[in-house]
Amino acid sequence: MPLVVMCGFPCSGKSRRTQELKEYILKNTDRKVYVVGDETVGIEQNSVYADSQKEKNLRGELRADVERKVNKDDVVILDSLNYIKGYRYELFCLIKHAQTPHCLIYCLTSPDVSSTWNNNRACEKQYTQQILDALVMRFEAPDSRNRWDSPLFTIQKEDTLPFEAISDAIFHRKAPPPNQSTQSQPLSSSNFLYELDKVTQDVVTAVLNAQKTSVPGDLIAVPEASEKIELTRSLNMAELRKLRRQFISYTKMHPTENIGKIANMFVQYLNKSIH
């Protein structure tokens, strides 16, 4: 089903626009509409958005729920902040894999308007001002020049949703063609990218710590890997970060179905690169 990604500051009208679009589609088509979002998974928003690990878990849960529901017939609306461009790119890869169109609706408000609307909410649904300000600061605005942010509909608070244009984008536009990365990406493992990031960072940290007491020629054991790094020379932070970025880029294009292999794969890559 086509995917509609809502995007915007906290308290920018995303849920209201989601409901308006859902009602329009149900009234004017015979398609079903599924809404996935923070409220559907029942989070305590101030607790989740104050903790980066909890927030990552939430994004993974939402993406997995979208993946379960997405197909070529009905409509899924993802009603969440979706403020990270890398996450929106992951959603784009998901719809390419499913061979269905998508669009992005950006609810554009000023921080002051969002703060006012937040204060008008019921107390139990309000963001703390600290959390709201932090999310506004971290927000990465969509850009229609990016294929994962296009087609983009930017809606201000006084605007009416362009229902016909949105319908044309998700019902009549061709789905983006699949490519190697979207065909082979193990989307069934919703935390693949998170694990790739975490495991490689743990390995880099282990190498830096081990070098404090090691000399060239030592074998360094790293977390979650049976193989060891052959330390033939000293590695600085900049070099390790560069090698990590290269490995992540390669692994995204040639993913493994077994997340447990990531650490050994990274160790092998480091050993080949530093010798």
Side-chain angles (χ1 to χ4, degrees), residues 208-223:
L208 290 172
N209 289 335
Q211 285 187 137
K212 297 175 182 178
T213 57
S214 300
V215 296
D218 284 355
L219 296 177
I220 297 177
V222 297

Side-chain angles (χ1 to χ4, degrees), residues 43-55 58 126-128 131:
I43 66 165
E44 204 294 299
Q45 58 198 26
N46 288 308
S47 171
V48 168
Y49 288 112
D51 186 317
S52 60
Q53 182 60 58
K54 289 181 179 179
E55 188 180 344
L58 170 65
Q126 288 184 11
Y127 292 86
T128 66
I131 295 295

Side-chain angles (χ1 to χ4, degrees), residues 1-4 18 21-22 25-26 31-37 40 65-66 68-71 73-79:
M1 59 186 70
L3 174 64
V4 178
T18 294
L21 182 59
K22 178 181 178 180
I25 293 171
L26 291 175
R31 298 174 186 258
K32 296 178 181 178
V33 179
Y34 297 92
V35 176
V36 175
T40 64
D65 199 7
V66 168
R68 284 191 293 270
K69 291 180 169 64
V70 76
N71 61 42
D73 298 320
D74 301 314
V75 179
V76 176
I77 304 176
L78 179 55
D79 178 17

